Amino acid sequence: MEIIMIVLASLLFTTGVYNLLQKQFLRIIIGTALISHGAHLFILTMGKLKRGASPIEAHGVSNYTDPLPQALILTSIVISFGVTSFLLVLAYRTYKLNHTDNMEKLRGSEE
């Protein structure tokens, strides 16, 4: 199962980097979202995908799951949602002011 998750995370990283290298602002935003999702899967995989009881002390249970990767992923999801929201608002404002989302045209001329 870990191999499938690592392959999926690397696929998300690859498509995210590809989208980051595009010229359209919206594709750059999609690339950052894909990279953050790949990081979520990577953190989950590194925390070992094991099944067990909840991490509350109980009698007769010896196999517990580690809550730290889940807490890190939850925090990372909230942060990536905030960054994606900010970038979408920035893209909307940029498009309204400049009537384009092409990064080459937004860079301006050297004149």
Side-chain angles (χ1 to χ4, degrees):
M1 185 69 175
E2 282 90 5
I3 300 296
I4 295 171
M5 295 290 277
I6 289 174
V7 168
L8 186 60
S10 64
L11 184 67
L12 285 172
F13 275 120
T14 304
T15 54
V17 169
Y18 176 76
N19 280 329
L20 276 178
L21 298 175
Q22 299 297 315
K23 292 182 180 179
Q24 290 83 18
F25 202 25
L26 190 59
R27 286 192 181 193
I28 294 171
I29 295 169
I30 291 171
T32 58
L34 287 175
I35 287 176
S36 70
H37 290 315
H40 299 157
L41 284 179
F42 185 68
I43 292 171
L44 184 65
T45 305
M46 293 309 292
K48 295 184 182 174
L49 300 172
K50 62 181 179 179
R51 296 181 183 178
S54 60
I56 299 172
E57 191 67 37
H59 297 290
V61 179
S62 62
N63 190 14
Y64 293 106
T65 58
D66 188 15
L68 185 62
Q70 297 168 6
L72 288 174
I73 291 170
L74 184 61
T75 305
S76 178
I77 288 171
V78 170
I79 291 171
S80 66
F81 177 73
V83 168
T84 304
S85 304
F86 173 71
L87 288 175
L88 284 173
V89 169
L90 185 67
Y92 177 74
R93 180 78 174 154
T94 303
Y95 183 77
K96 282 294 188 183
L97 289 176
N98 299 316
H99 303 291
T100 186
D101 69 338
N102 191 341
M103 294 305 285
E104 293 292 325
K105 293 179 182 176
L106 289 174
R107 183 175 293 150
S109 62
E110 295 183 16
E111 299 173 359

